[in-house]
Structures are given as C-alpha cells and as structure tokens.
Amino acid sequence: MKKECTEEQARLKAEAYCVGAERCTNDVLRKLKQWGLPEKLHESVIDHLREERYIDDTRFAIAFVRDKYRFNQWGIIRLVMELEYRNIDKPSIKLALKEIDKEEYLSILTELLRKKNLSIETDNEYERKGKLLRFAASHGYEMDTILQRMERMKDEAEMVDCFVETLFPVVSID
C-alpha cells in the first residue's frame, strides 16, 4: 500500500517537479496520484500551482509544440493528438500551433522525406511513394502537405537531372 503524503508535502514536491521542466496540469495530477495524495486534495494543490505560475497549460502547449516540431520533427496531427491526450483545451492548442513557422515546418518535412527516400530500397516508384507517405504520416504530417512536398521534390529532382545532362551530355560509346 502506498504511503499517503500531506498536502504541504505534495505542494513542495509538485513545486520542485514543475521547476525542473514545463509541466501541464495532467502531468502534475498523475504525479499527485503516484505520491499518494488523497483525491480530495488534488484541486487545492493544482490551484496553488496555478496561482504561483508553476503550471500554465497554455504556456506548456506553446513550449511543447515548439520543441516537438523542431527536435522530434512531429507534424501538426501528432502535436494536436499529444496535446489532447494531455487534456489541453482547444484554445490553448490553437494558440500553440500559431508558434509553428510555416517555412521551417515545410523544410523539416522535406528533409525528413529526403533522408527516408535515401534509405528506401526499391526501384518501383509506386512502392517508394507509398513508403514515403506512410513514413511522413506516422510523424503526424497532413496528407495534402506530404503530397505537395513530394511533388515539389520530384520537380526539383527533374530540374537537377536536366541541369546535369546539359553540363555533362551522355556520351555513348559505339
């Protein structure tokens, strides 16, 4: 059986927990349960943390989106799902998604697709396209954005091929 902690002990532990990294209400509630704080005291600890600005779900959502799309290379779909899983409200999610720089977002997706394309071992373009689509979708990118990026990459590759052929014409040895 878990040892119960007092409200004061829980407040101090929760403050220390929130100082270490940006946390949302859901994260703190999970910890309070883990520490054995009676449920009737959860709300008072959460209220204290909010008043003292240790937790702020909107601030958490903004930091979460900024970090996850840049460092984990997650798409908007994955970001929204993860925030909803953490019970972040829709206005906070909407505000957090405004932090995404469109050009940087598309650049990250393009680089992800390029790297994956190099690792795919198939000559069949249909299979290659399917694997790239599934890969990008698994990172949470929207289907229309993935398709636009893949089409643009194809156009750029054709331009490079054409450029190389004009610089270095194919010489046949007969």
Side-chain angles (χ1 to χ4, degrees):
M1 185 172 165
K2 284 185 210 172
K3 179 187 166 202
E4 288 188 6
C5 67
T6 66
E7 184 176 357
E8 188 57 35
Q9 289 171 327
R11 278 184 185 181
L12 293 173
K13 284 174 86 170
E15 287 174 0
Y17 177 66
C18 293
V19 167
E22 195 66 58
R23 309 286 182 189
C24 66
T25 305
N26 200 39
D27 292 342
V28 176
L29 279 173
R30 198 169 358 92
K31 280 295 183 184
L32 294 175
K33 289 175 188 173
Q34 184 181 337
W35 295 331
L37 183 70
E39 273 193 52
K40 61 184 177 195
L41 300 176
H42 288 184
E43 197 59 41
S44 66
V45 172
I46 294 294
D47 288 343
H48 165 75
L49 295 172
R50 282 190 183 129
E51 287 170 12
E52 298 296 320
R53 309 248 325 125
Y54 283 100
I55 57 174
D56 180 335
D57 285 347
T58 302
R59 188 178 67 211
F60 169 83
I62 290 169
F64 183 88
V65 165
R66 192 179 316 119
D67 288 351
K68 297 299 181 184
Y69 99 85
R70 284 188 179 143
F71 302 120
N72 293 38
Q73 300 174 328
W74 287 359
I76 290 173
I77 295 170
R78 174 89 186 260
L79 292 166
V80 170
M81 283 178 23
E82 292 288 337
L83 289 170
E84 286 176 346
Y85 173 75
R86 288 171 170 79
N87 296 324
I88 305 298
D89 59 25
K90 294 209 182 296
S92 295
I93 292 173
K94 216 173 191 177
L95 185 64
L97 293 176
K98 289 181 181 178
E99 288 291 308
I100 295 175
D101 177 74
K102 182 82 169 158
E103 289 304 312
E104 184 180 11
Y105 182 77
L106 294 174
S107 173
I108 290 168
L109 173 59
T110 302
E111 193 56 33
L112 261 178
L113 290 169
R114 280 197 177 119
K115 285 180 183 175
K116 183 62 178 177
N117 191 38
L118 294 174
S119 71
I120 295 174
E121 295 180 11
T122 183
D123 292 333
N124 182 334
E125 280 307 305
Y126 181 77
E127 271 185 52
R128 178 178 303 280
K129 187 175 182 178
K131 288 181 179 191
L132 286 171
L133 277 169
R134 282 189 299 278
F135 174 76
S138 74
H139 275 72
Y141 287 91
E142 318 82 273
M143 195 59 67
D144 59 332
T145 305
I146 298 168
L147 291 170
Q148 287 171 0
R149 282 286 113 175
M150 288 174 57
E151 190 61 37
R152 185 169 178 185
M153 287 170 59
K154 181 182 171 196
D155 293 345
E156 288 172 0
E158 288 172 0
M159 284 178 28
V160 168
D161 289 345
C162 181
F163 181 71
V164 169
E165 287 174 14
T166 57
L167 288 177
F168 308 101
V170 177
V171 178
S172 65
I173 302 173
D174 292 328

